[in-house]
Each structure stands twice: as C-alpha cells, then as structure tokens.
Amino acid sequence: MLKDEKRYDFLPKKKWKNLTKKEFSNLQSYQTNYVHYKKITEEIDQLKKLIEEKKEKLKTYSHKLMRINYEIDHLRTDYHFSFSIYKVKNKNYYNCSIGRRGRIPKNGTLGSPRLIENHLRQHYKRRKDKIEELEKIGWNKFIRNEVNDKSGKSKVRDRIIDMIMKDKTLRSFTLNRKLLFPIK
C-alpha cells in the first residue's frame, strides 16, 4: 500500500537516535524510499503534462499535413508509377509498361531476351557489379530491380522521372530498351 503522506514525521529527527537499531534502520529506509517514491510520482505528473502538450502539437502538425497533402497529391499521381514487363503472345518478344493512377499506361518495346541481355551488357560494360547481378538474377528481374530502386541510385528510374517531368502524358517519348538503357 503506497501513501502520499509522510509516515515518519510523527517523531522529530533529533529523537531518532533514541530508537533501537532496527527501528532506526526501518524508519530511515522508509524515509529514503518515500523520497524516491515522491520524486518519481512528480516526474510521472510532469511527463503526463508533457504528453498532453505533445498531443496538442501533434494535432497541429496533423492538420498542416492534411492541408499540404492536398497540395502535393498531384505529384503522387504524376510520379508514382508501376513498371511491368510482359511477353507478347505467341512470340519470344517482350514489352514493358509504365502505369500511373489516373493516366493511360505508356507501353514500350524491349525485344527478344537475347537482344535485351546483349543491350544491358553493352550499357553496363564498365560496371562489373551490374554485369554480375544481371548474370545472377536474369535480365527480367534485373530490369525490374533497376526501375523500382527508390534509393536514389537508379539512373533508369531517374530517366523515367525526367521523362515525366518533361511530358506528364509521356506521349512525346517512345519507350524502349534504348531509351531506358542508352548506349553511347
């Protein structure tokens, strides 16, 4: 049972020396623990107050984010895209597609697996790490990884974003392996 009152102030401190060793020790122990108890209780009250203040700040930021979100939502529509690779029926030929919410997909050609892989090897001829990755996972997964890499290191993803910045409809571009992976 915890108490919010001092249970040791009934006896003046100068009289404690007249108590038995055990009584003195217990009273001293109680006093020490009470001081810690009181200190922690006050800290909890301060933290509760701080939490309430932070909750109010959080509401302010939440309202600001909602307002600003409305202002930047068009950027998500334009720049958040999905990339897919699909095989043309009855042919050993592959195409790709860039899809965005509220927009018509932009389709393009990649070519046959042999052409695609040779082109990638030519594009990355000075990047041994990329060639090794290509050999390890195959061209299909390799291209998907390059396009979907959101770390900021993917030049292919940057090219697609640059295309969208120049023409949000992507109508002025012909999407193909040469545009995605240019060879100088």
Side-chain angles (χ1 to χ4, degrees):
M1 178 166 93
L2 299 173
K3 298 286 181 184
D4 265 347
E5 58 185 88
K6 290 184 182 180
R7 296 291 306 223
Y8 55 86
D9 60 356
F10 53 86
L11 185 64
K13 240 183 181 179
K14 62 184 176 185
K15 300 290 181 183
W16 286 19
K17 62 183 174 195
N18 297 334
L19 298 171
T20 67
K21 277 188 178 183
K22 184 167 176 87
E23 289 171 335
F24 179 79
S25 174
N26 285 340
L27 198 53
Q28 206 173 24
S29 178
Y30 186 90
Q31 181 188 23
T32 303
N33 284 303
Y34 179 78
V35 168
H36 290 299
Y37 169 78
K38 197 70 174 156
K39 181 181 173 189
I40 290 174
T41 303
E42 289 169 2
E43 286 177 6
I44 288 172
D45 291 341
Q46 288 173 351
L47 290 172
K48 283 180 181 177
K49 185 179 175 185
L50 183 62
I51 287 172
E52 289 305 315
E53 291 171 4
K54 296 289 184 184
K55 280 183 180 179
E56 285 303 313
K57 269 190 178 180
L58 194 61
K59 285 180 187 176
T60 303
Y61 286 118
S62 177
H63 291 300
K64 286 180 181 179
L65 284 172
M66 285 173 33
R67 184 177 40 81
I68 296 169
N69 183 54
Y70 176 76
E71 299 292 327
I72 65 168
D73 201 38
H74 72 282
L75 296 173
R76 282 186 202 91
T77 302
D78 291 337
Y79 297 103
H80 179 74
F81 61 88
S82 63
F83 183 83
S84 58
I85 298 172
Y86 57 94
K87 186 176 180 180
V88 177
K89 286 184 180 180
N90 302 323
K91 290 185 178 183
N92 193 20
Y93 197 85
Y94 289 83
N95 287 339
C96 63
S97 180
I98 296 173
R100 297 177 292 159
R101 182 178 70 185
R103 301 270 187 185
I104 297 169
K106 178 67 176 179
N107 298 316
T109 61
L110 292 176
S112 69
R114 194 181 104 257
L115 280 174
I116 297 168
E117 191 161 337
N118 287 342
H119 189 88
L120 290 171
R121 286 179 184 282
Q122 188 74 25
H123 177 76
Y124 289 110
K125 66 183 174 188
R126 290 186 177 87
R127 296 280 314 268
K128 189 177 179 181
D129 59 326
K130 293 289 185 182
I131 299 292
E132 288 173 359
E133 184 181 349
L134 173 63
E135 290 170 353
K136 183 178 178 183
I137 64 175
W139 65 266
N140 194 321
K141 188 168 182 179
F142 179 83
I143 292 175
R144 290 174 200 267
N145 288 351
E146 287 295 303
V147 173
N148 293 320
D149 180 11
K150 294 180 183 176
S151 69
K153 296 178 182 177
S154 172
K155 291 183 180 181
V156 181
R157 186 172 188 82
D158 286 347
R159 276 187 205 99
I160 293 171
I161 290 173
D162 289 344
M163 290 184 331
I164 295 170
M165 287 183 149
K166 287 179 186 167
D167 178 9
K168 298 210 184 328
T169 65
L170 291 176
R171 288 185 193 137
S172 63
F173 296 97
T174 303
L175 185 61
N176 57 36
R177 70 178 177 271
K178 294 174 184 173
L179 181 69
L180 295 173
F181 302 96
I183 299 173
K184 295 177 182 175

